[in-house]
Amino acid sequence: MKIALSTGARLGEIQSLRWDDLDLKKGLAQLRTSKSGERPFHFRPHWERAVKVAELGNFRFHDLRHSCASYLAMNGASLLEIADVLGHKTLAMVKRYSHLSTAHKQSLINGTFKSMVG
């Protein structure tokens, strides 16, 4: 789950990774294909059990991809940078994926208007 959240990779992309795709010293993973559809093991039962134990409700694996985009946005990544990380071809798709948290928006507004309100 950590690799999904920190990279925004799709489930199929993560499952298709092989050891020779990884550079652990540099912290890099080379994705060979996109939307590969390969399934080296049956993932769903493990995912569903983890979601149930964590009491996450209706949480899908793909939601981690949206979370990655949102965390990148809230930490100053540009739409172009997020598009590059997630492999999006349009900025419209990036806007669909990245959502700012309420706390982040509140902090942004307070920081912007602090000097005006005094």
Side-chain angles (χ1 to χ4, degrees):
M1 189 157 62
K2 185 177 179 181
I3 194 169
L5 184 58
S6 62
T7 65
R10 295 173 182 90
L11 176 59
E13 293 168 338
I14 293 169
Q15 290 180 325
S16 69
L17 286 173
R18 304 291 178 252
W19 282 111
D20 58 336
D21 297 329
L22 304 176
D23 184 335
L24 299 178
K25 289 181 181 177
K26 293 181 181 177
L28 298 174
Q30 179 66 41
L31 298 177
R32 293 175 189 231
T33 59
S34 179
K35 295 186 179 180
S36 66
E38 295 178 25
R39 297 293 181 266
F41 63 94
H42 195 56
F43 183 80
R44 184 169 296 281
H46 304 287
W47 173 256
E48 288 173 356
R49 191 173 98 240
V51 168
K52 184 177 180 179
V53 168
E55 299 178 357
L56 295 177
N58 187 24
F59 191 76
R60 302 165 300 147
F61 189 87
H62 195 76
D63 294 334
L64 295 170
R65 192 163 159 80
H66 288 261
S67 296
C68 177
S70 296
Y71 285 132
L72 288 168
M74 289 186 288
N75 283 282
S78 69
L79 293 180
L80 187 58
E81 291 168 323
I82 297 169
D84 190 49
V85 168
L86 297 182
H88 290 151
K89 294 181 180 177
T90 67
L91 295 182
M93 185 60 74
V94 176
K95 289 179 183 179
R96 229 178 113 194
Y97 270 71
S98 54
H99 312 282
L100 303 178
S101 71
T102 302
H104 181 80
K105 290 187 274 191
Q106 183 179 8
S107 175
L108 181 65
I109 291 168
N110 289 344
T112 301
F113 296 106
K114 184 178 181 179
S115 62
M116 294 179 189
V117 179

